[in-house]
Every structure is written in C-alpha cells, then in structure tokens.
Amino acid sequence: MERRLRLSNVTFGYRRGAFSAARRAIGVFRDFTWQVPPGRTVLLGPNGAGKTTLLALAATALPPAAGTIAFGELELQRRRDRTEMRRLIGWMPQAVHAVPGFTSQEQVAYAGWLKGMSRSTAWRQASVALDRVGLRSECGRLTSELSGGQRHRVGLAQLLVHDSELLLLDEPTAGLDPTQRARFRDLVREIGGSRPVVASTHQVDDLDDLFETVVVIVGGAIVFQGTVADFLRLAAPNAPFAAESAYASLVRDPE
Amino acid sequence: MRGMATRVRTMPALFLAPGLVAGAIWYASLVHPADAYPVSATALGTAGLAFIVPFAAATAAWEGSRLRRGGFWHGPWVRPHAEILADRLWPAVVVSIVAVLAGVEASVLESGGGLPDGRPIGVAALDIVAFAAAGAATGLLLPFAIAGPLAIVVPLFWLAFVPAMDPVWLRHITGMFRDCCAATEDLSIRPIVASSLVDLGILAATAFAISNVTEIRRGIAMGASLVVAGSVATALVAGMSYAPTSNRSLADLTCARASAATICVWPEHQADLIPMVRVLPTVLARWSDAGIPAPDLFTEAESSAAPAGSATLVLSGGGALGDDGIIEALSSSLLPTYPNCLNGGSTGWQVAEYLQAWYEAAAGMPDASLAARHERPFDPSYPPVMDVVQKLSRATLDSRLAWTTRVTGITQACGDWAVDQLQVR
C-alpha cells in the first residue's frame, strides 16, 4: 500500500535575531494539518506563503516546534523512523549548488552516499540518474561549468539517485527559460511515474496537465485544494487567462 | 575505488600531501635531538606541528566550506553529521599525522635510531584532530575567504607564538614539546595532560559551534568548554620551566660494577657500558696514583637525582666512544658543577678545561689525543693547557693537590681571579 505523508497540527516559526532576548519567532504554520494527495500536486502561493517551509518540513529538513509528521507508519519523532523517512523522501531544494571541484556524477553520487547508499552503488546509480535526466554526456564535467538548466537537472538526478517513494520539488522551474521549463516539466512527468510528486511554484503559468491536484497556500494556510478543473472553475467568466484569474480570486495580493 | 580517485583529485589535503610530508622531514632535519634518545628525538620530530596543524585546519576548512556551499550540510540526509564530517576530514587528519610520523622518523634516525615515543605523537595527533574539527566548523559557518585564513593563522599563532611568550610554561598547554628532553629528562605527564585537555576543550567547543542550539546557549557552551579546559590545563603546568620535563626514572639506568666503582648508563648508551667497564679499573688506579679522588658511582642520572658523591656522566654516541672518549667522559664527570652567581660576578668556568686535561692525562690519555683536545686555551692570555699538564705530571703530590684545590676554587667562586693562579707551584 502506498505510504502517504501527513502533517498533523504542525506549528513552525523561524527565529530572527542574534540573541535570545531579542529573538522573536516569525510564525509560518500554526496547527497546520495536511496530507499529501496521491499523484502529482502543484503547490501554488505568493512569495512568503510558506511553500518552501512546508516542503522542507515534509522532507524532514526542518523540525516542527509542535505537531507530528508521519510517512505511512513512520513518525518523524522516532529517530529510526526519521532516518527511514529521509531515505524514502526525495527533496530538491530551490537552489542547486555546484559542489566546488566535483563533476556532476561525483556530486550526484555524493548525494546518494549521504542518503545512505554505499559508495559503489551510489556511483553506479549516479550514472543511471544522470542518464534519466539527459545528462549522460555531462557525467565528467564539473557541475560548476554547467548551465542553470543543466544544474537543475543535476538536482533532479540527486533526487533520483536513491529510490524515493515521494518527490518534493521546491520551485523546480525558477530561473529557467520557457524552453527549459517545458523540458523540465516533461522530465518530471517521466520520472515521477506512479510516485506522488509535489512541486511548488509561484508562477501560475506552470499549471498544466502535468498536475492532477492544485493546492493554494497563503499565509501558512491552505486556501484551496482540488483538481485542476475545480481550480479553473474559480476563474472569472471569459477571463483571457483562466489560471491567473482563478489564482487571483484566492490570493488578494499576489505581489 | 572511484571514491578514492575523486578524493585525490578534489581534496587539497591529499594532493598537497607529498609537499607536506617532505616539508615535515626537512624541518625535522633542522633540529638536533639528544643522541639516540627516542623521547627527545620524537618530541623534536613533532616540532613541524607549527605548520602541519595549520595545514590540517585549512584543508578541513575547505572541506567544511565545500559542504556548506554544496548545500550538503543542512540537508535531510540519512547519514549523521558526525559521519559526514569524519568522511570529509579523515584525509586531512591522516595526511597530517603521516607528516608528523615522517618528521619523527627523520629525527629518530638523525639521533641514532630507536623506537619513537608514543606520548608526543599521541598529543600531536589530538592537536591535529582538534584543529581539523575546528577548521571544518569554521568552513561550515563562514565563507572560505574568511575561514581559510583564520584556519591558518589561529593554529600558527597557537603553536608558534604562544610557545615564545611569557610565562614560559604557557607553551606546555599547546602540545608543542620541542624543548624536551635532555638525556637526564623525561617528558612530564603534566604537559601531556594539559595539552590533551585543551584539545578536548577545542573539540567540545567545535561540537557546540555546529550544533542546533540557540546562539546564546551555543556561545556560552563554547566559552565554557574553552575556559574550563584552559583553566585546568594552565593550573596543571603553572610554575614549570620552559622545558616540559621531569627527571628521568632511575629505574631506566643499566648499571655494571667495574673494580671499586659502579657505572650506570641510560639504555641508549648501553653499548658503551662494556668498554667502560673494561677501561674504568685502569683509570681508577691511575687517578689514585696521581692523588685524584674518584667516586664509587659514575652515573648518567641528573646530579640532583643521583646519590650524593656520585659523578655525573654525560655520554654521546652509542658504542662509538673509544678508549679516549671514555677517559674524556669519565674525566668530565669529575668536574664540579658551577654555582649560580645571582648576586653578580661570574664563575671561572673557563679554567675547568685545565682540570679536565689534568684528569685525562692522569688517566692515561696519550699526549697526541690530549694535544688535539686542548690545542688552545679559552683565552690567549691563559697559559697553554699542555704546559700546565706537563708541569703537573712532574710535580709533587702536595703541589698537585694544592693546584687542584686552587683551580676548583676558581670555578666555584663568583668573583675575580688571577691568571697566575693556574700556574703549578
């Protein structure tokens, strides 16, 4: 049975200020509950809505101040479960940095090793992962020499090098030109397969038939969750850009 | 394995390793350890720490910085932080320890061989681990443009400048033991414990620096680790001299009986014991005939630790002294120790050569050897050493005793003396 990721009554805030006395918690989520839908999900919302934080929490990169995060029977609070969750959840952060001196295969293999694979397996799987994202010919090139689009694909390969059950992509098309974005979406469609995929974006025009579910998050709360068709029904009649119109109906100040 | 090839290509610690090891060997060749004494040779061989530790810290800072820049530190990884850090740091640590061992081996070989002593090496290894961890933490927290220079300058200051500062015992908390050891000394346990404590304090502070606790708690914990470790360490070594030493255990001496006297030497000079046992009876008999009193114990032990009335031997070279060298060492052991002229003036230590030459001549050293050893007096205004010795050889017993008493008195006084006091009357 497919495992589902569930956040229950999660509270999380960033702390700002160098010293405790001057610190204040910037609340992002309070008593937040959400279950990742099956299939491919797009997470929409303005900047600062909490999309990146939500994905980082789901990926166990950030610890919640309160509440529970579970992936099937695995619970974040249990150390052994957390390790297993990290093995099963793939997370691609917004920025994919080049590791100084590493070729793309070395970088992807290192990510695989960090995810618990043996070095030899990670090295083999890195080659396979780079092949899947169309970078086989760039295996031996330094990651720092790759273009922005290619580096995004290296990020995706880092995600694929270990066998994840859930893929979390944070703004995967940010900074890419329209051609690269289209190519990247095709890639996500291909590699996602039957696995649940959650991709965040603040660009409504990313919305297309790639996704089955739309989730709109504003100020740390989900203001809409439904199918793409349901979402588009929110658009004003005869609006020339239905997705933008629907989004504007939910987000009053979309920057 | 592919991982190793990647490491060699991408890790400065590995591709700079040959240069570091060569530098450590070259540096060790500049120091001059006590003959064939492994403790001294090992301690001096670790003197390269002054540049080896900055190397370890800087290359570790580079690896820390690589983890930070690649986003590979704060990710939701399966492997724990300690394992990730160890994986990035072991090459820097291993290469640095290999460089220390190479320096030690060069020093030990220079000194005449033997097995290196584990204590200075252990402390050096702990120094390397502590500063490599601290360097990595710096790289994780700061841009390499800041972390790199910091990782070089701080350990360099710690290991090169602190040992040159007052109070002189402060150097004993750094793990730099290059003032160890004369043949009569051993590395004291106090600097070993003190240096290790400071290293553990640095490791604890490093762990807090990269922990997830809040900044203020982190700062307090880091400060407390360093202050507690530093305070205990300084309390341990406060008041010591510049040398991190204590008297060598008398149990290490190997002794043999020769006629009416006993000779005790350190293990590294054991090869000299048999020829000394052979030569000593003749020397004692000749000294007796010449009216020179001899003790019944000749020992390499520090004079303050040796039994009263014994003669302090200072040997160099293992088994290569020869009869003349043995006579020279035995004669030298009869010389008095000089007083500290703290209230002004200076001893007439320059005249001790006359005493030594007389004891050597009386013991039967051939004239040619004597002349070679005492060709010129310390000062041109002093009488030729060989002239005095020849006059003593022809003098009466009373005259010799009077001369010996007079010249010995010159070496013991903190005041003026006249050159004609050296003449045999």
Side-chain angles (χ1 to χ4, degrees):
Chain A
M1 195 180 119
E2 185 181 280
R3 273 188 259 252
R4 303 278 294 276
L5 184 78
R6 183 177 173 79
L7 292 84
S8 306
N9 306 108
V10 165
T11 297
F12 179 84
Y14 290 102
R15 289 186 172 275
R16 293 282 183 269
F19 301 101
S20 290
R23 289 168 75 103
R24 59 199 178 92
I26 310 293
V28 179
F29 293 106
R30 184 176 292 275
D31 280 335
F32 180 85
T33 297
W34 183 54
Q35 181 163 279
V36 171
R40 289 186 289 269
T41 301
V42 63
L43 202 56
L44 292 175
N47 284 337
K51 302 187 296 295
T52 294
T53 305
L54 178 56
L55 291 182
L57 283 165
T60 76
L62 291 174
T68 58
I69 298 176
F71 188 46
E73 75 286 3
L74 304 171
E75 286 193 18
L76 178 68
Q77 280 72 10
R78 290 197 289 259
R79 179 183 279 265
R80 186 168 292 182
D81 283 5
R82 183 170 66 228
T83 303
E84 190 57 18
M85 281 174 77
R86 289 179 165 183
R87 201 188 303 277
L88 296 172
I89 298 173
W91 175 55
M92 180 178 151
Q94 224 172 85
V96 179
H97 300 283
V99 180
F102 275 24
T103 63
S104 48
Q105 187 170 0
E106 285 165 350
Q107 176 153 342
V108 173
Y110 189 62
W113 180 79
L114 290 172
K115 278 291 189 180
M117 302 168 82
S118 72
R119 279 188 203 286
S120 52
T121 307
W123 181 253
R124 267 198 318 276
Q125 288 303 112
S127 171
V128 174
L130 285 165
D131 192 24
R132 288 186 71 186
V133 300
L135 283 179
R136 187 181 185 80
S137 59
E138 310 296 339
C139 277
R141 268 185 78 189
L142 293 179
T143 318
S144 56
E145 293 174 354
L146 300 179
S147 69
Q150 287 174 318
R151 217 176 281 175
H152 262 72
R153 283 192 271 160
V154 168
L156 208 52
Q158 286 179 200
L159 194 74
L160 296 175
V161 69
H162 63 109
D163 197 19
S164 315
E165 289 186 8
L166 167 66
L167 302 181
L168 306 171
L169 312 174
D170 191 6
E171 303 272 5
T173 56
L176 300 185
D177 63 34
T179 314
Q180 288 174 323
R181 280 162 62 185
R183 199 165 165 196
F184 199 85
R185 280 199 293 265
D186 289 344
L187 204 53
V188 171
R189 190 195 316 274
E190 183 198 324
I191 61 172
S194 59
R195 284 180 283 199
V197 177
V198 181
S200 72
T201 182
H202 66 281
Q203 292 166 311
V204 183
D205 53 352
D206 271 351
L207 190 63
D208 63 6
D209 62 350
L210 168 63
F211 298 105
E212 292 147 11
T213 306
V214 179
V215 174
V216 180
I217 182 168
V218 178
I222 289 173
V223 295
F224 176 85
Q225 178 166 336
T227 62
V228 175
D230 288 344
F231 178 71
L232 293 176
R233 271 187 216 111
L234 299 174
N238 304 320
F241 301 104
E244 280 82 349
S245 173
Y247 182 70
S249 73
L250 295 165
V251 182
R252 296 291 170 207
D253 182 16
E255 301 180 30
Chain B
M1 189 181 140
R2 178 69 208 182
M4 200 58 206
T6 300
R7 285 177 195 279
V8 171
R9 189 179 60 73
T10 61
M11 290 185 148
L14 289 175
F15 62 74
L16 295 176
L20 181 76
V21 173
I25 292 171
W26 167 77
Y27 193 74
S29 72
L30 301 179
V31 296
H32 301 289
D35 268 342
Y37 182 25
V39 178
S40 166
T42 308
L44 283 172
T46 61
L49 273 180
F51 61 88
I52 293 171
V53 169
F55 171 90
T59 51
W62 173 256
E63 297 306 328
S65 156
R66 198 203 294 272
L67 285 174
R68 187 177 59 82
R69 281 189 284 175
F72 281 155
W73 181 247
H74 289 298
W77 307 116
V78 168
R79 295 193 188 269
H81 274 153
E83 187 182 355
I84 297 172
L85 210 52
D87 173 69
R88 300 315 299 172
L89 294 194
W90 75 256
V93 169
V94 168
V95 163
S96 302
I97 291 175
V98 166
V100 168
L101 291 175
V104 165
E105 192 53 33
S107 174
V108 167
L109 288 176
E110 158 93 10
S111 81
L115 277 178
D117 188 88
R119 295 166 299 169
I121 295 173
V123 175
L126 202 51
D127 260 10
I128 288 167
V129 170
F131 278 96
T138 316
L140 284 169
L141 298 171
L142 300 169
F144 186 72
I146 300 170
L150 261 183
I152 292 172
V153 169
V154 172
L156 184 66
F157 177 84
W158 181 246
L159 289 158
F161 290 91
V162 171
M165 288 164 68
D166 267 336
V168 291
W169 46 259
L170 201 55
R171 68 190 64 188
H172 303 324
I173 65 172
T174 64
M176 179 60 84
F177 298 145
R178 60 177 301 164
D179 296 308
C180 166
C181 298
T184 55
E185 296 168 336
D186 192 8
L187 185 57
S188 167
I189 187 72
R190 287 156 68 192
I192 293 173
V193 174
S195 298
S196 304
L197 269 176
V198 170
D199 287 336
L200 293 176
I202 292 171
L203 279 172
T206 301
F208 287 121
I210 55 176
S211 67
N212 285 326
V213 296
T214 59
E215 287 91 340
I216 195 90
R217 285 186 189 165
R218 196 184 310 171
I220 291 171
M222 287 170 64
S225 308
L226 294 174
V227 168
V228 169
S231 304
V232 176
T234 49
L236 269 171
V237 298
M240 287 184 75
S241 76
Y242 71 95
T245 58
S246 55
N247 281 338
R248 200 170 172 182
S249 168
L250 298 183
D252 290 349
L253 289 166
T254 303
C255 298
R257 187 83 187 157
S259 178
T262 301
I263 304 175
C264 295
V265 297
W266 298 120
E268 61 269 21
H269 296 138
Q270 231 171 318
D272 288 319
L273 197 54
I274 293 169
M276 288 180 95
V277 167
R278 178 175 53 78
V279 170
L280 186 61
T282 312
V283 170
L284 289 177
R286 286 178 173 162
W287 278 345
S288 175
D289 293 346
I292 299 169
D296 56 7
L297 175 64
F298 294 83
T299 176
E300 279 202 277
E302 168 66 33
S303 56
S304 61
S310 60
T312 303
L313 280 170
V314 178
L315 301 180
S316 59
L321 286 177
D323 285 5
D324 290 350
I326 290 171
I327 290 173
E328 182 181 359
L330 291 171
S331 303
S332 181
S333 74
L334 298 188
L335 296 178
T337 52
Y338 311 123
N340 285 323
C341 295
L342 297 174
N343 297 320
S346 61
T347 66
W349 58 267
Q350 305 93 327
V351 304
E353 182 180 10
Y354 291 87
L355 284 171
Q356 165 122 14
W358 165 234
Y359 297 151
E360 287 167 355
M365 186 181 280
D367 284 350
S369 296
L370 269 176
R373 281 174 164 76
H374 307 289
E375 196 179 359
R376 276 190 294 273
F378 178 81
D379 189 290
S381 65
Y382 297 177
V385 180
M386 289 304 292
D387 283 3
V388 174
V389 168
Q390 279 157 12
K391 284 180 188 165
L392 280 167
S393 302
R394 295 191 294 269
T396 62
L397 189 59
D398 287 344
S399 179
R400 287 172 184 169
L401 288 175
W403 180 89
T404 305
T405 305
R406 193 165 62 246
V407 174
T408 302
I410 294 173
T411 67
Q412 298 300 289
C414 297
D416 295 333
W417 56 276
V419 172
D420 69 351
Q421 286 180 274
L422 293 173
Q423 297 296 347
V424 182
R425 294 164 189 161

